[in-house]
């Protein structure tokens, strides 16, 4: 009896495994769930020396300063409609598509009126053309008019002090990211709505690592491609995106090296410092 039962179980397993192996839909699902990995320590297939090698119809715009200041620092550029908006850390400058200066937020026309609080980041909500400025522990919202910025309201962030702000494309959701400072932050990335309510957050799984004690400055990178927003931490080799429908944080790409930059035990290793500059060259 036991022999017969073993044969029946073996036959059932054989049929099940055979049917799974021959099902193209299951194979396709497995392939789609794989995260693409790029070995950054291997030799490159080619080296790009000119922008024209990867882009065409390049237009160079010379920014023409006003009589009161010159553009000395550019932290971020956002193009909206036919204008360019530039964060110069202390001000947000607006130029037309030819590079002519139009107006600014927090003007420096007089030294006593200079803005003393750094503008960490900003973005424009394409749905209503409103400017959102990350200003200390607050988000200031302005209406973009034909001649300047009209203040609308302030969103207080409480104890949260992010350094990056970007809208998720095609929806009223904001990605806020903070740099790792003390090492035990619960999260470094949070998704909120326009009312400041938390929609989701990505847990900090390496909370024991304190970069300041290791003499290393942390950094967060946001970028957009094909109507999706992506982000990467300096000490994490994985690039994540946000699903605007589910608010989930999804791993998209791994920059693989022989030494994992997410392992706090390897941060002080001499080999890690050889890898770190190469990681930063990508983004």
């Amino acid at each position: 009896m036991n022999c017969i039962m073993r044969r029946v179980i073996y036959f059932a397993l054989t049929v099940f495994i055979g049917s799974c192996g021959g099902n193209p839909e299951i194979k396709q699902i497995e392939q789609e769930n794989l995260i693409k990995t790029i070995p950054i320590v291997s030799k490159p297939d080619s080296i790009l020396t000119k922008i024209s090698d990867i882009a065409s119809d390049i237009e160079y715009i010379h920014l023409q300063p006003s009589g009161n200041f010159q553009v000395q620092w550019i932290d971020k550029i956002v193009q909206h409609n036919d204008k360019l908006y530039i964060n110069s850390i202390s001000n947000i400058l607006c130029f037309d598509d030819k590079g002519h200066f139009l107006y600014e937020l927090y003007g420096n026309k007089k030294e006593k009126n200079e803005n003393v609080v750094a503008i960490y980041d900003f973005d424009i909500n394409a749905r209503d053309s409103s400017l959102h400025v990350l200003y200390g522990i607050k988000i200031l919202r302005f209406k973009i008019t034909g001649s300047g910025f009209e203040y609308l309201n302030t969103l207080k962030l409480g104890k949260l002090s992010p350094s990056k702000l970007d809208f998720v494309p095609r929806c009223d959701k904001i990605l806020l990211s903070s740099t790792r400072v003390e090492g035990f932050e619960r999260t470094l990335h949070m998704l909120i709505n326009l009312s400041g309510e938390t929609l989701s957050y990505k847990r900090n799984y390496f909370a024991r690592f304190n970069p300041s004690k290791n003499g290393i400055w942390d950094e967060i990178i946001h970028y957009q491609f094909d109507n999706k927003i992506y982000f990467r931490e300096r000490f994490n080799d994985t690039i994540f995106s946000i699903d605007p429908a589910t608010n989930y944080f999804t791993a998209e790409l791994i920059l693989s090296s022989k030494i994992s930059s997410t392992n706090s035990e390897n941060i002080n290793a001499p080999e890690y410092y050889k890898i770190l500059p190469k990681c930063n060259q990508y983004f």
Side-chain angles (χ1 to χ4, degrees), residues 20 23 28 40 42 49 55 74 79 104 130 144 200 206 210 212 215-216 228 269:
C20 290
N23 191 335
Q28 184 178 2
I40 61 174
S42 61
T49 58
I74 295 179
Q79 182 178 10
E104 62 184 324
S130 58
I144 299 177
S200 64
F206 302 95
N210 187 329
S212 60
I216 307 174
K228 291 185 68 175

Side-chain angles (χ1 to χ4, degrees), residues 29 33 49 53 59 119 161 175 199 222 249 267 269:
I29 292 174
N33 288 335
T49 58
D53 292 338
E59 180 181 1
I119 296 176
S161 181
L175 172 63
L199 302 177
H222 288 186
F249 292 86
I267 293 299

Side-chain angles (χ1 to χ4, degrees), residues 3 5 10 26 40 51 61 97 111 115 126 147 158 173 176 189 210 214 217 226 262 270 275:
C3 182
M5 288 297 296
Y10 177 80
I26 294 179
I40 61 174
I51 299 179
I61 300 176
D97 56 0
E111 184 177 352
N115 180 32
S147 58
K173 300 176 183 179
L176 297 175
H189 310 281
N210 187 329
N214 293 270
W217 183 255
D226 197 21
T262 59
I275 301 298

Side-chain angles (χ1 to χ4, degrees), residues 112-279:
K112 64 179 181 179
N113 292 329
E114 287 186 354
N115 180 32
V116 295
V117 179
I119 296 176
Y120 294 160
D121 202 357
F122 81 99
D123 201 6
I124 296 175
N125 187 354
R127 296 165 68 93
D128 62 0
S129 294
S130 58
L131 175 73
H132 292 248
V133 179
L134 186 57
Y135 190 79
I137 58 174
K138 300 177 291 185
I139 296 178
L140 307 182
R141 184 167 172 260
F142 298 85
K143 177 182 178 182
I144 299 177
T145 66
S147 58
F149 305 98
E150 179 183 331
Y151 172 78
L152 296 176
N153 62 291
T154 297
L155 179 63
K156 296 182 179 180
L157 301 176
K159 296 181 179 180
L160 185 66
S161 181
S163 58
K164 291 291 184 181
L165 177 152
D166 278 285
F167 273 91
V168 178
R170 299 182 178 181
C171 61
D172 293 329
K173 300 176 183 179
I174 301 174
L175 172 63
L176 297 175
S177 294
S178 305
T179 55
R180 192 186 309 267
V181 178
E182 298 176 341
F184 52 80
E185 293 87 350
R186 182 182 181 186
T187 178
L188 300 176
H189 310 281
M190 183 175 295
L191 188 67
I192 66 172
N193 58 21
L194 297 182
S195 300
E197 300 171 331
T198 301
L199 302 177
S200 64
Y201 66 91
K202 178 181 175 293
R203 185 175 296 276
N204 178 17
Y205 289 103
F206 302 95
R208 291 181 296 175
F209 170 55
N210 187 329
S212 60
K213 290 183 178 180
N214 293 270
I216 307 174
W217 183 255
D218 198 6
E219 186 178 0
I220 303 291
I221 299 171
H222 288 186
Y223 69 96
Q224 295 186 23
F225 177 73
D226 197 21
N227 290 320
K228 291 185 68 175
I229 187 167
Y230 300 84
F231 65 91
R232 174 182 175 263
E233 303 168 21
R234 182 179 186 182
F235 302 106
N236 194 324
D237 54 10
T238 305
I239 297 173
F240 292 86
S241 69
I242 295 178
D243 187 332
T246 63
N247 299 331
Y248 288 166
F249 292 86
T250 305
E252 295 279 356
L253 181 66
I254 296 177
L255 302 177
S256 177
S257 62
K258 294 180 181 180
I259 300 177
S260 175
S261 59
T262 59
N263 187 344
S264 60
E265 296 178 358
N266 291 330
I267 293 299
N268 290 323
E271 292 80 6
Y272 176 74
Y273 286 98
K274 297 178 182 179
I275 301 298
L276 184 59
K278 296 183 179 180
C279 294

Side-chain angles (χ1 to χ4, degrees), residues 86-104:
I86 297 177
N87 180 12
S88 63
I89 305 300
S90 59
N91 298 343
I92 292 180
L93 313 173
C94 180
F95 297 82
D96 63 18
D97 56 0
K98 302 300 181 182
H100 299 105
F101 174 76
L102 298 177
Y103 45 84
E104 62 184 324

